């Protein structure tokens, strides 16, 4: 084919994308590191080099550790539970079911609903006096819970909303993965006397589905780690910081308190964590 | 079918129906409540529409400046989507059809941008936009999002599935690469373009973070930002709130229903490569 190198025209075609990604992704990555080493208040527009001072200050702030703990907790619950729910949905809503398209659409629609809209709906569903959830609790004789005003429950409310919104997307990925498993494996197993159910799932479906599962794991972790909007809409990071995630913390530091240096230091730490997690996951993938 | 497998099939069906209903419940309840009498909706929850208060929609639409917010969201979403399609088509063509120095490392570097969320880069991007005096303008909402690695991969993959013979004939006739891309490949790439259009438009329409950080005045608010403000103002006036949620959500859901096949296919193929 056209194996001869054609640097000039190739880079002309790449130019718009590379220029934009250069200015708005690659340059910011470097700039982030630079800003994190400076004390900079946006209101005064004054920059002073302070070395690692921002990092030291953050690591001594209890609210930073709280945000880190919140984020880890949120990711550690949302990702595995969300994956289990969507894998269950994919198995339940398989091709053999009549009218399956309708079911899948219903499950998928929350994904195209905006986080703000979904958040407002869940604020209402979890309302103390007027919400569906408390009406249901009341009906079965349990006492009402003020979900979004309780530092014990608020994060759970956000997690439930996120899983509801995200499940359809992961289900589509799992469905594609399930369709990629050749039917003959199941036929062979049934000749050997295995019954369709838990046995075939464990010994055929689960191992052969692993590449998909791994991909969903990576994607969901990245999604969960950057969460901000659901907290902004449902709880504004509260009560008492119980739903303040790292991105929320960055947002507060930068745009509420104008402390760009510290906000950049947290961002830089987050870039490090993201790269580390991605690397670990891919290393884990190779070993399996 | 044996009785046992018949029973199993019924059970499967009932379970699927039950789970689907649970998932559909919040959006169904939203629709019902958007039409209820505001006073009754503020008093308690009901899944039964006791009335049809279409005025809720008119009142919510007029309460804050939703018409202006719709225009802002539309400008942002269409601008970003059109730009991303063009930059991705061009870059995807280079990756799929040309050999050049640094091709592999460049591709890996683009892949890496997918794991770095925009939220983490917001401070330096904000600084750039301040220096350009673009804060609180359409430029701030559109330009930083005009190129995205996802679109580039989508078209790289798509072009690789198109046989080369078609282009070869055009080259023999003396066509340039530029002409080949726009006259031959782009018309063939309609399914992939539709996929990217749906993904990007819906993502931009639904985005809160960018307008929240990059705009400062009422007149630049997008629908999602407007909805958070609306929610703060109307707190427990749930009938009006749900009416507002409905019309903010309708564009995304409508687009998804229209292009459902392409949308689902986009997720499934993007997921497996």
């Amino acid at each position: 084919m056209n194996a001869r190198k054609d640097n000039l025209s190739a880079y002309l075609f790449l130019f718009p994308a590379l220029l934009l990604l250069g200015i708005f992704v690659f340059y910011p990555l470097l700039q982030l590191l630079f800003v994190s080493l400076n004390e900079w208040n946006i209101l005064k527009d004054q920059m002073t080099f302070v070395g690692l001072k921002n990092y030291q200050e953050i690591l001594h702030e209890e609210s930073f550790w709280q945000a880190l703990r919140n984020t880890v907790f949120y990711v550690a619950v949302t990702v595995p539970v969300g994956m289990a729910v969507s894998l269950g949905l994919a198995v339940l809503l398989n091709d053999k079911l009549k009218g399956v398209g309708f079911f899948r659409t219903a499950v998928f629609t929350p994904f195209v609903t905006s986080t703000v809209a979904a958040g407002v709906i869940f604020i209402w569903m979890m309302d103390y006096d007027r919400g569906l959830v408390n009406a249901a609790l009341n009906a079965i004789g349990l006492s009402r819970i003020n979900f979004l005003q309780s530092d014990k429950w608020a994060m759970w409310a956000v997690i439930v909303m996120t899983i509801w919104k995200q499940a359809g997307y992961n289900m589509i990925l799992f469905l594609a993965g399930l369709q990629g498993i050749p039917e003959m494996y199941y036929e062979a197993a049934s000749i050997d006397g295995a019954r369709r159910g838990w046995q075939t799932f464990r010994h055929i479906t689960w191992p052969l589905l692993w590449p998909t599962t791994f991909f969903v794991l990576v994607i969901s972790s990245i999604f969960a780690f950057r969460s901000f909007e659901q907290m902004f809409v449902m709880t504004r990071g509260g009560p008492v910081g119980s739903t303040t995630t790292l991105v929320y913390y960055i947002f507060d530091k930068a745009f509420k308190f104008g402390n760009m240096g510290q906000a950049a230091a947290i961002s830089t730490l987050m870039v490090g964590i993201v790269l580390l997690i991605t690397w670990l996951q891919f290393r884990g993938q190779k070993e399996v | 079918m044996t009785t046992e497998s018949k029973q199993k099939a019924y059970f499967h069906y009932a379970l699927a129906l039950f789970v689907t209903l649970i998932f559909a419940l919040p959006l169904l309840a939203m629709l019902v409540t958007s039409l209820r009498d505001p006073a009754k909706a503020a008093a308690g929850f009901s899944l039964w529409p006791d009335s049809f208060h279409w005025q809720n929609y008119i009142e919510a639409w007029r309460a804050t400046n939703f018409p202006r917010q719709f225009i802002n969201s539309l400008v942002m979403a269409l601008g970003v989507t059109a730009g991303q399609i063009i930059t991705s088509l061009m870059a995807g063509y280079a990756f799929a059809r040309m050999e050049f120095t640094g091709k592999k490392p460049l591709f890996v570097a683009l892949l890496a941008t997918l794991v770095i969320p925009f939220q983490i880069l917001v401070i330096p991007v904000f600084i750039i936009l301040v220096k350009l005096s673009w804060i609180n303008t359409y430029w701030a909402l559109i330009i930083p999002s005009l190129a995205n690695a996802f679109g580039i991969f989508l078209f790289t993959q798509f072009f690789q599935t198109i046989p080369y013979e078609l282009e070869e004939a055009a080259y023999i006739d003396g066509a340039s690469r530029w002409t080949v891309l726009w006259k031959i490949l782009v018309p063939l790439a309609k399914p992939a373009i539709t996929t990217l259009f749906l993904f990007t438009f819906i993502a931009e329409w639904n985005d809160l973070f960018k307008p929240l950080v990059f705009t400062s005045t009422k007149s630049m608010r997008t629908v999602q930002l407007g909805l958070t403000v609306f929610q703060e103002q109307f707190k427990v006036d749930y009938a009006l709130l749900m009416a507002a949620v409905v019309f903010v959500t309708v564009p995304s859901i409508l687009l998804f229903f229209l292009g459902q096949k392409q949308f689902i296919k986009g997720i499934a193929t993007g997921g497996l490569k």
Side-chain angles (χ1 to χ4, degrees):
Chain A
M1 284 218 234
N2 47 347
R4 149 185 85 88
K5 276 198 181 176
D6 192 350
N7 283 334
L8 181 65
S9 37
Y11 278 99
L12 279 175
F13 276 95
L14 289 166
F15 181 72
L18 289 186
L19 178 74
L20 286 158
L21 289 172
I23 295 174
F24 293 110
V25 178
F26 292 110
Y27 172 72
L29 271 172
L30 294 175
Q31 176 83 348
L32 198 59
L33 195 65
F34 175 73
V35 176
S36 77
L37 301 174
N38 285 273
E39 196 168 281
W40 184 31
N41 193 307
I42 188 93
L43 301 171
K44 295 182 202 140
D45 196 18
Q46 226 174 24
M47 232 184 206
T48 349
F49 185 80
V50 292
L52 293 174
K53 189 168 153 242
N54 287 323
Y55 291 92
Q56 283 165 345
E57 281 169 359
I58 284 159
L59 296 178
H60 282 104
E61 248 176 54
E62 168 50 26
S63 49
F64 167 74
W65 295 104
Q66 188 192 18
L68 184 64
R69 277 197 305 273
N70 288 342
T71 309
V72 170
F73 176 76
Y74 174 81
V75 174
V77 176
T78 310
V79 173
V81 176
M83 284 175 73
V85 167
S86 40
L87 179 56
L89 283 169
V91 172
L92 187 66
L93 303 182
N94 62 35
D95 292 321
K96 284 180 196 119
L97 207 66
K98 234 187 187 170
V100 74
F102 171 76
F103 291 134
R104 285 181 193 167
T105 303
V107 170
F108 189 82
T109 310
F111 180 70
V112 288
T113 309
S114 74
T115 310
V116 180
V120 173
I121 293 173
F122 270 72
I123 290 176
W124 162 62
M125 300 240 309
M126 300 201 167
D127 185 294
Y128 188 77
D129 300 309
R130 307 164 191 85
L132 167 72
V133 180
N134 274 313
L137 284 178
N138 200 34
I140 56 171
L142 295 171
S143 55
R144 292 171 183 264
I145 297 168
N146 210 343
F147 292 100
L148 296 174
Q149 273 78 47
S150 147
D151 58 347
K152 221 172 72 198
W153 289 101
M155 188 59 110
W156 288 104
V158 174
I159 287 172
V160 168
M161 190 282 257
T162 309
I163 291 175
W164 170 74
K165 187 167 147 42
Q166 214 63 31
Y169 176 81
N170 292 339
M171 176 189 74
I172 298 296
L173 293 175
F174 277 126
L175 277 170
L178 288 172
Q179 276 156 8
I181 300 176
E183 186 62 22
M184 58 180 215
Y185 286 106
Y186 296 105
E187 280 160 15
S190 81
I191 291 168
D192 290 343
R195 293 186 59 184
R196 275 228 163 170
W198 176 244
Q199 261 193 338
T200 48
F201 180 83
R202 237 208 93 191
H203 295 288
I204 300 172
T205 313
W206 180 252
L208 288 172
L209 194 63
W210 179 248
T212 307
T213 312
F214 174 72
F215 180 78
V216 178
L217 175 72
V218 174
I219 292 267
S220 314
S221 311
I222 294 171
F223 271 158
F225 196 62
R226 66 171 70 163
S227 289
F228 165 81
E229 291 187 358
Q230 44 281 63
M231 291 82 181
F232 182 82
V233 176
M234 290 174 73
T235 59
R236 291 288 195 277
V240 283
S242 61
T243 55
T244 298
T245 53
L246 283 173
V247 172
Y248 206 106
Y249 193 61
I250 294 172
F251 171 81
D252 265 356
K253 276 269 182 231
F255 302 106
K256 204 164 143 193
F257 303 111
N259 195 332
M260 291 293 171
Q262 281 190 8
I266 309 160
S267 305
T268 309
L269 290 176
M270 272 191 86
V271 172
I273 297 174
V274 168
L275 292 178
L276 184 73
I277 291 175
T278 314
W279 180 71
L280 280 176
Q281 283 179 333
F282 275 95
R283 229 188 54 158
Q285 161 78 342
K286 268 181 203 150
E287 275 166 18
V288 167
Chain B
M1 257 202 276
T2 63
T3 2
E4 196 201 353
S5 66
K6 228 179 192 169
Q7 267 177 354
K8 245 181 158 175
Y10 280 133
F11 177 71
H12 184 179
Y13 208 80
L15 190 64
L17 199 65
F18 177 70
V19 171
T20 307
L21 267 179
I22 290 184
F23 267 85
L25 189 65
L27 293 176
L28 289 176
M30 161 193 84
L31 277 178
V32 169
T33 300
S34 74
L35 289 171
R36 288 183 70 202
D37 179 341
K40 283 185 190 160
F45 186 87
S46 166
L47 267 177
W48 198 248
D50 32 37
S51 55
F52 287 94
H53 268 70
W54 296 101
Q55 308 91 287
N56 290 346
Y57 282 85
I58 298 163
E59 259 181 70
W61 182 254
R62 284 184 184 153
T64 60
N65 204 349
F66 271 117
R68 172 70 199 231
Q69 291 162 12
F70 258 70
I71 294 172
N72 291 342
S73 281
L74 208 58
V75 170
M76 173 171 98
L78 283 178
V80 170
T81 308
Q84 257 190 45
I85 288 173
I86 293 170
T87 58
S88 305
L89 276 169
M90 290 172 66
Y93 175 65
F95 277 117
R97 286 292 195 254
M98 298 182 188
E99 289 306 320
F100 53 89
T101 317
K103 182 172 173 178
K104 250 207 168 141
L106 200 59
F107 203 71
V108 174
L110 287 185
L111 194 71
T113 66
L114 287 177
V115 299
I116 307 288
F118 173 73
Q119 286 91 326
I120 298 183
L121 298 178
V122 67
I123 292 154
V125 172
F126 181 80
I127 294 169
I128 294 169
L129 296 174
V130 169
K131 293 212 165 120
L132 291 167
S133 303
W134 281 356
I135 292 295
N136 206 36
T137 67
Y138 285 133
W139 303 126
L141 297 177
I142 295 172
I143 310 268
S145 315
L146 283 184
N148 189 297
F150 171 76
I152 298 174
F153 293 135
L154 190 78
F155 287 126
T156 304
Q157 279 178 16
F158 190 85
F159 288 150
Q160 280 167 347
T161 65
I162 296 178
Y164 186 63
E165 284 74 32
L166 287 165
E167 294 154 69
E168 211 164 28
Y171 285 129
I172 292 168
D173 289 344
S176 67
R177 286 192 187 279
W178 186 250
T179 320
V180 165
L181 171 61
W182 296 106
K183 291 273 155 67
I184 295 176
L185 287 175
V186 167
L188 291 171
K190 265 186 197 145
I193 293 174
T194 311
T195 303
L196 188 61
F197 176 86
L198 292 169
F199 267 101
T200 313
F201 187 94
I202 292 176
E204 291 295 317
W205 182 270
N206 287 349
D207 185 46
L208 168 69
F209 194 73
K210 215 168 38 171
L212 178 68
V213 177
F214 295 159
T215 69
S216 52
T217 60
K218 265 188 191 170
S219 60
M220 281 306 293
R221 274 182 201 151
T222 60
V223 283
Q224 306 299 343
L225 187 53
L227 186 56
T228 65
V229 177
F230 189 79
Q231 189 267 330
E232 275 190 322
Q233 280 172 9
F234 285 77
K235 290 227 181 318
V236 296
D237 201 340
Y238 287 123
L240 283 191
L241 257 177
M242 289 306 129
V245 170
V246 170
F247 58 65
V248 164
T249 311
V250 157
S252 307
I253 293 188
L254 203 65
L255 270 183
F256 163 64
F257 282 162
L258 288 176
Q260 193 168 6
K261 241 185 175 164
Q262 282 309 322
F263 197 87
I264 298 291
K265 229 167 103 190
I267 296 176
T269 50
L272 290 178
K273 288 257 169 167

